[in-house]
Amino acid sequence: MLWAVALPGLVALLTSAAHHVELVGDGASLWWAALANAVILAFSTRLGASEAAGRNRAAAIDAGGSVAPVAPNVPLHRDGTTGQHGAIRADITENQRLEQALRASELRYRASIESLPQLVWKCQADGRCYYLGPQWVAYTGIPEQAQLGYGWFEQLHPDDRRRARDAWSEGAPRGDAYDIEFRIRRHDGAYRWFKTRAAPIRDAEGRIVKWLGTNTDIQDLRDAQDRLSSINRELEARVEARTHDLIQARDALAFANAQLAAAQRIAHVGSWALDVPTGAVTWSDELFRIAGLSRRAGGPTLEERSAMLDADGRSQIDHAVERAIVAKEPYELKLELLRPDGTRRWVIARGEAMDGTDGKVNRVLGTAQDVTDLERATQELERALERVRLAADAAALGIWDWNIRDDVLVWDETMYLLYGRDSREFSGGYEAWRTAVHPDDIAQAEAVIGRALRGECEFDTVFRIVRPDAEVRHIRAVAHKHVDASGRVQRMVGLNLDITAQRSAELASKANEDLLSEFVRHAPAAIAMLDTEMRYLRVSERWLTDYRLGERDLLRESHYSVFPNLPESWKQAHLRVLAGAVERSGDEAFTRADGSVDWLQWEARPWRRADGSIGGLLFFTQVITARKEMELRLQQQKVELQRSNTELEQFAYIASHDLQEPLRAVTACGQLLQGKFAKEPRDPERDQLVELMVDGGSRMHLLIADLLAYSRVGTGERCFSLVDSGEVLARARDQLQRAIAEAGAVIDAAPLPKLMADSIQLIQLFQNLLGNAIKYRGAEPPRIRVEARATAGGWEFSVNDNGIGIEPEFFERIFVIFQRLHTRREYPGTGIGLAICQKIVERHDGRIWVESVVGRGSNFCFWLPERGPRT
Ligand code: ADP
């Protein structure tokens, strides 16, 4: 019965112990601990069961471990010394059998107890120990007797004693199972942990009569537990660390994802992935943004994808992805995306296939970088470069790039054209350039380069080059320097401009300037060139002398400070000239600072710059004081002369008029005497004298008549009217009728004009010319032709004859009064006729001249101005 009861617990404990052994690997001690506990439990249960069975039997386990049947309600003395054997002999045989069985059981029990590895003990209800098992004695190395009572307590670790005592005093009175762990000193002084369990043994009334306890060495268990705890802690630490790592990894992943998204956004790079086996496509947020599509999981729809690219773009990307999968070739494409809103974006699409674990391609990863801004900037840059290139070409600008460190000088095509070199022959470099520069300019050009490299100046210089065909050209070179962090010039990029034409123009301009300056300086006139502020720019030497300015340098001096007394009207005229007018003065009196007066004539006109704007004014002046004085003198002389002429003419007129009378008397007397002597006998001497008197009188009369005619031409008012020159000619012919008839002359006249003239004088003019043409005839009868032709501002008349003609040396002289080419015997005359003609023509503001060939005839011409409407 006892074992039957105990067995399940024991089995359970064994099972538990076995399980425990597996865990801690120290099976023996724990197995025994489990066994001991099972035994104690079994005893406790057996006692409880006996009581429950009717209290008809009691068995006590004394100090020696014997079990004796006891009467109900008889307490067992636990120390074994004072116990009594109250026996009820109902069936002695049965009792003896039972007793033997019990004894045998007790022996087995005792043997079991003592074979337990636990330290077994027993004590009384008050805690005094009355039994310590041999294990206890062996463990502590102290005899049992020395430890009974409370002696065993000394073996407890000092630190555990109080706790052990408190647990006892708290639990023991209530009969609670005593279950505590404390350390017990071993015989070698080492303390080991024991688990102490004690169960109360009660009498029939339930009073505690004894305690049975075991101490199980759990040091190894605790060590194992400690190790386990340590392992646990380590595991926990590891788990914690791993968890921490995982959290960190998760955070890092989230951070990395966020960073990736931000990086994609910042870099305008979207990404996508194609799962090859399923064909599923995933786009990043940025790629949706670049394509102008709304964000979502996965990729674009088929419609979106086909609308996004043109046929060419789709074909390119499809082909590239296929090559990436099939041939594992990475690709890079530039594509133009059309967004749903109609805008376009340029992207660089790159992609690469990824292998799966089986070594086959299972994914394609790609990126699309939005390079629209770059593309636009590049296109703009290309356009700008094109414009620069066009401008450079148009301006014949050569571009060069000099890498100073490596001495590599790169020229563009225009440079080679400028220098007349062939790019295949001319290797470039500084030394090569040097050979092309004019020897006289190399030092100056290199000095500028040196200063530019030292950062002392910008590179901007002019030098000449000598082309292979010996042509010299002027080059202007400018450059931009590229400086490294230390301030050294690493590179220069510059331009060469052919300024030969410009230089030639400058030189020509300079030569013109110099010429102009020389011209002005030495001009035999007073010339000054002023700016708009009326400051002198150039003056002629004559200006200085005319205005008595000596050697004074007038450059930049104000005209008004040089001549402070200029009339206000002149200053106003200067302003008008600066506004574009041309001003001229008459003869102006100008009072100098010293009070002297000069006469001036001036002209001022603006001069203009190349752009047409007025740059200032030019003065051309003449100091006409001397001329003016001369004119005044002349005027006075003229007046005097006119007066004397008038007087003379008056005198001539009066004299010739007054001479007529006595002359007529003399002539009349001579003629009377001739008549009287004609009736008398001839006296040759007397008759010759009278004839001389009459002839002289006649000639004198003619002479006086001509002189009167001559003086009359210059006197009196001019009386001009519209005259028909044809009629005038007819009148003259009438006057000459007799002479014409006598000579058999033929006068032929072309139609003649009407003009404003003095008709009387004009008749005389024609009469004199026709008369001479008849008088100075040759062998043939005179043939006279009169014509007139219109010329600029007047009429030219001609009277042409076929007479004896005149030697050219006398063409001028014959118009002078009294000048004759023939004797009176050859041709009668006074030598006044042509002088009268000249005076008449001059009175009409015309002129007269003759053309003639001796022996062939003469052509007397006169020109008269037209004073009215031509008819
Ligand atoms: P006069 O006829 O009285 O000598 P004029 O003054 O008329 O004086 O002429 C001056 C001179 O000019 C003449 O003496 C003559 O020698 C010459 N002369 C004038 N008319 C002609 C003419 N038609 N043919 C040739 N000689 C002429």
Side-chain angles (χ1 to χ4, degrees):
M1 168 97 183
L2 175 90
W3 293 111
V5 173
L7 197 58
L10 185 59
V11 170
L13 277 169
L14 282 174
T15 309
S16 165
H19 182 66
H20 216 170
V21 166
E22 250 183 41
L23 281 174
V24 299
D26 186 6
S29 58
L30 281 173
W31 190 91
W32 285 113
L35 183 64
N37 284 332
V39 170
I40 291 166
L41 196 63
F43 269 97
S44 305
T45 308
R46 184 178 65 86
L47 287 173
S50 301
E51 191 179 355
R55 302 173 190 258
N56 55 351
R57 277 191 317 208
I61 300 170
D62 64 6
S66 61
V67 177
V70 291
N73 303 323
V74 176
L76 283 172
H77 294 279
R78 289 179 182 87
D79 60 2
T81 55
T82 56
Q84 295 176 4
H85 299 276
I88 303 169
R89 308 281 189 240
D91 185 349
I92 194 67
T93 307
E94 182 63 18
N95 279 351
Q96 279 179 338
R97 197 188 53 83
L98 281 171
E99 193 174 324
Q100 281 171 356
L102 271 172
R103 195 174 304 275
S105 173
E106 184 188 344
L107 282 173
R108 282 198 302 276
Y109 167 69
R110 190 177 186 92
S112 297
I113 289 289
E114 290 185 357
S115 68
L116 286 174
Q118 271 82 1
L119 316 184
V120 182
W121 51 269
K122 298 178 196 170
C123 68
Q124 293 173 346
D126 59 0
R128 275 187 298 126
C129 183
Y130 66 89
Y131 170 76
L132 289 165
Q135 300 94 326
W136 180 285
V137 174
Y139 176 78
T140 57
I142 299 169
E144 185 184 20
Q145 285 304 317
Q147 295 189 72
L148 291 176
Y150 295 108
W152 61 272
F153 198 73
E154 296 301 316
Q155 309 314 315
L156 264 58
H157 193 286
D159 292 347
D160 300 341
R161 289 176 192 167
R162 182 186 180 89
R163 189 164 49 83
R165 189 165 45 240
D166 289 348
W168 179 263
S169 42
E170 274 180 30
R174 292 196 302 269
D176 295 343
Y178 185 66
D179 190 346
I180 187 168
E181 291 177 4
F182 49 71
R183 286 162 286 184
I184 304 171
R185 191 174 62 203
R186 205 165 56 182
H187 54 79
D188 58 0
Y191 285 95
R192 290 177 68 83
W193 279 95
F194 282 82
K195 183 173 184 64
T196 300
R197 296 196 67 183
I201 297 171
R202 298 173 189 270
D203 60 13
E205 278 75 38
R207 287 189 298 264
I208 296 171
V209 291
K210 288 183 183 177
W211 287 86
L212 174 63
T214 61
N215 297 327
T216 306
D217 186 341
I218 60 165
Q219 185 63 48
D220 292 338
L221 182 64
R222 285 193 71 121
D223 287 348
Q225 277 177 341
D226 284 348
R227 280 203 304 281
L228 192 62
S229 296
S230 146
I231 287 168
N232 271 342
R233 278 197 302 276
E234 199 178 323
L235 275 174
E236 279 170 7
R238 279 192 199 171
V239 168
E240 195 176 337
R242 180 69 59 87
T243 308
H244 180 72
D245 287 350
L246 279 173
I247 289 168
Q248 274 197 333
R250 192 196 61 204
D251 291 349
L253 187 64
F255 183 66
N257 275 336
Q259 265 191 330
L260 180 64
Q264 289 200 354
R265 201 174 58 251
I266 293 163
H268 304 298
V269 177
S271 62
W272 57 269
L274 165 67
D275 187 67
V276 175
T278 64
V281 175
T282 316
W283 275 26
S284 74
D285 291 352
E286 182 61 15
L287 191 49
F288 279 111
R289 196 199 61 74
I290 291 170
L293 298 171
S294 53
R295 270 169 28 183
R296 75 198 75 142
T301 63
L302 272 178
E303 293 75 32
E304 285 172 338
R305 188 175 176 281
S306 62
M308 189 187 309
L309 291 165
D310 60 13
D312 182 47
R314 281 197 301 277
S315 148
Q316 281 191 60
I317 191 78
D318 290 347
H319 180 71
V321 172
E322 192 182 324
R323 294 289 304 161
I325 296 168
V326 175
K328 298 191 180 177
E329 282 177 4
Y331 68 83
E332 180 175 318
L333 297 171
K334 187 147 96 178
L335 299 168
E336 192 178 22
L337 298 186
L338 177 61
R339 294 160 134 195
D341 65 2
T343 57
R344 290 173 185 276
R345 305 300 289 179
W346 279 99
V347 295
I348 300 281
R350 297 184 180 89
E352 201 171 316
M354 310 285 287
D355 285 347
T357 48
D358 56 0
K360 288 183 187 161
V361 170
N362 73 338
R363 282 165 77 79
V364 178
L365 296 180
T367 60
Q369 183 179 6
D370 186 347
V371 293
T372 310
D373 293 344
L374 181 66
E375 183 69 18
R376 285 185 185 144
T378 305
Q379 285 175 0
E380 185 53 42
L381 185 65
E382 276 171 6
R383 282 196 288 273
L385 280 175
E386 180 65 14
R387 287 197 295 273
V388 167
R389 197 176 58 71
L390 284 173
D393 283 355
L397 270 177
I399 302 172
W400 52 269
D401 187 343
W402 181 26
N403 180 335
I404 292 155
R405 201 185 54 191
D406 305 331
D407 188 22
V408 176
L409 184 60
V410 179
W411 284 8
D412 75 346
E413 271 308 305
T414 312
M415 282 293 288
Y416 286 103
L417 286 174
L418 282 181
Y419 280 69
R421 308 281 171 158
D422 189 326
S423 59
R424 286 162 301 187
E425 295 163 10
F426 198 69
S427 58
Y430 180 79
E431 279 307 316
W433 166 78
R434 215 173 168 279
T435 59
V437 178
H438 192 289
D440 293 348
D441 292 354
I442 190 73
Q444 172 267 340
E446 288 196 313
V448 174
I449 293 170
R451 286 204 301 279
L453 287 176
R454 291 193 298 277
E456 294 167 11
C457 67
E458 289 304 314
F459 183 72
D460 187 348
T461 186
V462 172
F463 52 80
R464 287 168 296 171
I465 57 166
V466 184
R467 291 158 58 102
D469 57 5
E471 189 188 352
V472 173
R473 293 198 158 243
H474 293 263
I475 299 288
R476 182 177 172 203
V478 293
H480 177 72
K481 293 177 285 185
H482 293 261
V483 179
D484 65 11
S486 63
R488 277 198 306 274
V489 180
Q490 292 291 327
R491 194 174 154 216
M492 274 197 201
V493 179
L495 303 170
N496 270 15
L497 176 63
D498 187 343
I499 57 163
T500 309
Q502 184 188 336
R503 201 24 95 89
S504 302
E506 282 171 9
L507 289 173
S509 170
K510 173 87 170 55
N512 277 342
E513 288 263 310
D514 292 348
L515 186 66
L516 179 65
S517 294
E518 283 297 286
F519 180 79
V520 169
R521 193 147 66 91
H522 300 297
I527 299 173
M529 186 174 178
L530 293 89
D531 65 14
T532 51
E533 306 290 316
M534 295 298 288
R535 289 177 307 215
Y536 284 96
L537 299 175
R538 289 189 181 88
V539 291
S540 66
E541 287 171 349
R542 181 72 173 274
W543 182 278
L544 296 173
T545 52
D546 273 5
Y547 295 107
R548 299 177 214 158
L549 296 167
E551 298 287 305
R552 187 165 164 186
D553 182 7
L554 295 182
L555 190 67
R556 298 278 158 208
E557 270 209 63
S558 165
H559 183 58
Y560 301 133
S561 64
V562 176
F563 298 104
N565 298 327
L566 291 185
E568 188 56 34
S569 60
W570 290 17
K571 294 183 179 175
Q572 292 301 321
H574 298 160
L575 288 176
R576 288 195 295 277
V577 172
L578 289 174
V582 175
E583 294 279 329
R584 291 185 191 86
S585 74
D587 296 348
E588 304 244 12
F590 162 57
T591 307
R592 294 180 185 281
D594 63 3
S596 61
V597 175
D598 267 322
W599 282 90
L600 281 187
Q601 263 185 356
W602 55 260
E603 180 179 313
R605 54 176 61 237
W607 64 267
R608 292 174 189 275
R609 303 185 186 95
D611 63 1
S613 61
I614 292 175
L617 58 75
L618 286 169
F619 275 129
F620 304 91
T621 71
Q622 240 183 327
V623 177
I624 54 164
T625 310
R627 197 194 82 196
K628 194 74 185 171
E629 286 169 356
M630 179 79 79
E631 271 180 10
L632 285 172
R633 271 203 304 279
L634 275 176
Q635 189 66 31
Q636 284 167 357
Q637 284 173 352
K638 189 179 165 192
V639 169
E640 184 66 25
L641 201 62
Q642 275 176 341
R643 189 186 57 76
S644 103
N645 262 352
T646 309
E647 280 177 3
L648 198 63
E649 278 170 1
Q650 285 296 111
F651 167 75
Y653 180 76
I654 292 163
S656 54
H657 186 268
D658 290 355
L659 279 173
Q660 295 276 22
E661 252 331 289
L663 193 59
R664 258 196 295 270
V666 169
T667 308
C669 286
Q671 286 171 340
L672 279 174
L673 283 173
Q674 276 181 326
K676 185 181 170 199
F677 292 148
K679 298 168 187 162
E680 293 178 7
R682 283 185 54 86
D683 180 346
E685 190 181 356
R686 180 203 62 196
D687 290 347
Q688 190 182 6
L689 286 172
V690 173
E691 193 182 332
L692 277 174
M693 186 180 74
V694 173
D695 188 46
S698 302
R699 281 198 292 112
M700 183 68 83
H701 176 72
L702 247 173
L703 191 63
I704 287 170
D706 281 352
L707 270 175
L708 263 176
Y710 181 80
S711 62
R712 275 196 197 110
V713 173
T715 56
E717 287 296 308
R718 289 199 290 192
C719 188
F720 282 18
S721 61
L722 189 63
V723 175
D724 184 340
S725 52
E727 283 180 15
V728 165
L729 179 66
R731 294 275 303 275
R733 285 172 70 166
D734 288 348
Q735 297 287 333
L736 295 167
Q737 221 169 16
R738 208 170 124 197
I740 292 167
E742 282 176 4
V746 177
I747 298 173
D748 169 28
L752 297 176
K754 289 179 182 173
L755 74 164
M756 293 296 289
D758 183 327
S759 61
I760 302 295
Q761 291 185 349
L762 213 54
I763 292 167
Q764 187 162 16
L765 175 61
F766 274 114
Q767 195 177 321
N768 284 2
L769 293 176
L770 289 173
N772 278 351
I774 294 167
K775 182 163 58 172
Y776 298 104
R777 67 174 186 263
E780 298 292 314
R783 295 187 64 82
I784 301 162
R785 169 80 180 164
V786 180
E787 292 178 356
R789 67 184 181 95
T791 61
W795 293 97
E796 186 181 306
F797 290 84
S798 64
V799 179
N800 194 293
D801 66 47
N802 58 342
I804 59 173
I806 304 164
E807 296 278 355
E809 61 185 288
F810 303 120
F811 282 180
E812 299 279 330
R813 208 169 112 186
I814 56 175
F815 292 98
V816 178
I817 192 166
F818 302 132
Q819 292 296 320
R820 307 196 70 235
L821 302 180
H822 305 280
T823 63
R824 231 177 13 258
R825 261 182 249 286
E826 290 169 312
Y827 296 98
T830 59
I832 296 175
L834 287 178
I836 291 171
C837 288
Q838 185 171 43
K839 204 167 180 183
I840 289 170
V841 169
E842 284 177 353
R843 284 278 288 185
H844 283 77
D845 299 321
R847 58 193 183 88
I848 186 167
W849 67 99
V850 66
E851 297 159 354
S852 178
V853 177
V854 173
R856 294 185 63 180
S858 303
N859 188 29
F860 279 85
C861 305
F862 61 92
W863 177 85
L864 298 179
E866 189 175 32
R867 289 192 167 81
R870 187 173 289 181
T871 54

